[in-house]
Amino acid sequence: MKKSVIILSHIGFWLMIWFLIFTITNLIPMLLPSKDFNPLTNWEAYTSAALTVGILSVPFYIFFFYTKLIIKNVKFLIYPLLLIAPFFIGHVIWGENNSYKYMDALMTLVVILLFGFLGGLFQFFTDWFKKNRLKTELERKNFESNFALLRSQINPHFLFNTLHNIDTLIYDNQDKASKSLVKLSDIMRYMLKDAKSDFVELQKELNHLENYLALEQLRLKTEKFLNYRINVNADGLKIAPMMLIPFVENAFKHSVDSGTENGIMIDISLENKTLIFVCENRFDHSDTDKDKVHGIGLETVKKRLDLIYKTKHQLTINTDNSVFKVKLEIELNEN
């Protein structure tokens, strides 16, 4: 909680108490006969309410500043009690009417303890808001650093393999090698430039994904290993960048040998403004621990989905019969 908000909340609280006391002071003459009570002038009512607020603020701020110590160890409760004791003792000694002074002193003590409790409550909630805000800030910074790493990172194995494949193509198929270099350039440009925005055009995200798939296909032993379908009219829609690619990277990273058929299947469609992304890959159970660090990317994506799309997305991940399946539905925004 900001310091200005804390100060304003204190000022508002005491203004409310002053107004309440002032109102009660003006109502008393209407409720009691004049012989039992001498009405106060407006000025006397103002000053009387202000004086009462000043007296009540003493136990309030004593407990306000001692609450942290009391929470740590209840023995520190003795300090605020000792500081407010003179109010109680003074009321007993100097009470005007002996027959009622003990009752008046008890009522005074109750009011003092009440405002002391309110002071402690103010401090407790102030600390709670501060700690909660600090926790949220730390989580946000941690998330931002993870995402910055995720979107700026180019998998070195992917880059090495792609360059090696392009080098081979230069001798066998120069036209295909040239097109592959353009796709690699587009991937790097997207990751280093477009992905820095909070939202990008859906078509750019899909183009990035298709470029990635095209380069991955260069190293496949059979073209039938990868099957994908993108049936989307992305006009006017936007999506948070790098939202789909981690699932695809994960599929290639943990899939079976690329010489098999239907090792990876990807289907992307659009229903109204809801993007439906399905990615399946067959995997070998004995090889699932080969890269535990790779899961950090998926965890970051999950956090991003919860932060950006909240109730506007649904993510389900299932593992059944050596098939890892991801289904993601996102309600997209328009331009």
Side-chain angles (χ1 to χ4, degrees):
M1 186 180 293
K2 295 181 180 180
K3 186 178 291 185
S4 59
V5 176
I6 296 174
I7 294 173
L8 288 174
S9 64
H10 281 259
I11 293 174
F13 173 76
W14 288 114
L15 284 175
M16 181 182 69
I17 295 298
W18 176 87
F19 179 77
L20 184 62
I21 294 172
F22 173 77
T23 303
I24 293 174
T25 304
N26 280 278
L27 286 176
I28 288 177
M30 299 172 60
L31 301 176
L32 296 177
S34 58
K35 63 179 181 180
D36 296 328
F37 185 81
N38 294 322
L40 299 175
T41 63
N42 280 339
W43 174 250
E44 289 174 329
Y46 290 140
T47 55
S48 176
L51 180 62
T52 305
V53 166
I55 294 172
L56 293 177
S57 67
V58 175
F60 181 94
Y61 285 107
I62 289 174
F63 273 85
F64 181 83
F65 290 111
Y66 272 96
T67 296
K68 290 183 180 180
L69 292 176
I70 296 171
I71 291 175
K72 290 180 180 179
N73 195 325
V74 72
K75 70 180 183 181
F76 290 109
L77 181 64
I78 189 68
Y79 296 113
L81 292 178
L82 287 175
L83 288 171
I84 66 175
F87 287 92
F88 177 73
I89 297 171
H91 211 99
V92 172
I93 296 174
W94 289 289
E96 295 181 1
N97 190 323
N98 290 333
S99 60
Y100 291 104
K101 66 180 180 181
Y102 289 103
M103 185 60 70
D104 290 344
L106 183 61
M107 291 299 296
T108 301
L109 180 62
V110 170
V111 173
I112 288 173
L113 290 176
L114 173 62
F115 275 83
F117 172 77
L118 290 175
L121 204 60
F122 255 74
Q123 181 65 277
F124 175 80
F125 280 107
T126 299
D127 286 345
W128 184 83
F129 277 113
K130 284 182 179 178
K131 290 177 181 178
N132 191 59
R133 183 186 177 195
L134 179 61
K135 180 182 178 181
T136 303
E137 185 69 15
L138 289 174
E139 289 178 349
R140 184 184 65 81
K141 288 182 178 180
N142 182 57
F143 161 75
E144 288 179 350
S145 63
N146 285 338
F147 177 50
L149 177 64
L150 174 68
R151 69 185 181 185
S152 64
Q153 181 183 23
I154 298 178
N155 190 312
H157 296 289
F158 167 75
L159 185 59
F160 175 80
N161 291 331
T162 300
L163 290 174
H164 176 72
N165 292 328
I166 292 174
D167 180 59
T168 302
L169 285 173
I170 289 175
Y171 298 97
D172 299 334
N173 190 333
Q174 293 185 3
D175 183 60
K176 191 173 182 180
S178 176
K179 291 179 179 178
S180 297
L181 278 174
V182 172
K183 291 182 185 298
L184 181 60
S185 175
D186 289 341
I187 285 177
M188 297 180 70
R189 184 183 300 107
Y190 181 82
M191 296 179 72
L192 298 175
K193 182 180 178 181
D194 295 321
K196 291 183 179 180
S197 304
D198 292 334
F199 291 93
V200 296
E201 293 177 8
L202 176 59
Q203 191 58 57
K204 286 188 176 182
E205 177 78 359
L206 296 178
N207 289 342
H208 171 67
L209 184 60
E210 288 191 90
N211 286 335
Y212 177 85
L213 293 174
L215 293 181
E216 282 285 8
Q217 283 180 312
L218 295 177
R219 67 179 182 85
L220 300 181
K221 297 177 183 178
T222 173
E223 293 182 356
K224 294 182 179 180
F225 175 80
L226 171 66
N227 289 293
Y228 73 91
R229 182 180 72 96
I230 300 178
N231 183 23
V232 174
N233 180 9
D235 290 345
L237 294 176
K238 288 194 171 185
I239 188 174
M242 305 292 290
M243 194 62 78
L244 306 178
I245 195 70
F247 297 111
V248 177
E249 287 181 336
N250 188 70
F252 277 99
K253 190 72 175 180
H254 298 287
S255 64
V256 293
D257 185 84
S258 64
T260 61
E261 295 184 7
N262 299 322
I264 297 177
M265 291 180 287
I266 299 171
D267 186 270
I268 305 175
S269 59
L270 193 67
E271 293 183 5
N272 295 325
K273 297 179 183 178
T274 300
L275 182 72
I276 302 174
F277 168 82
V278 179
C279 180
E280 298 182 16
N281 70 278
R282 293 165 58 193
F283 67 93
D284 184 355
H285 281 286
S286 63
D287 203 29
T288 52
D289 294 332
K290 68 180 180 180
D291 187 7
K292 293 181 180 179
V293 178
H294 190 72
I296 294 175
L298 296 187
E299 289 302 317
T300 303
V301 174
K302 290 177 183 178
K303 290 179 181 178
R304 290 183 67 214
L305 285 167
D306 291 336
L307 181 67
I308 299 172
Y309 291 103
K310 297 180 181 178
T311 59
K312 293 185 177 181
H313 83 282
Q314 184 175 354
L315 174 65
T316 55
I317 299 178
N318 297 314
T319 304
D320 187 27
N321 296 326
S322 296
V323 175
F324 188 87
K325 181 177 180 179
V326 175
K327 183 176 183 181
L328 173 62
E329 298 181 29
I330 307 177
E331 294 180 30
L332 299 178
N333 300 323
E334 291 185 302
N335 288 334

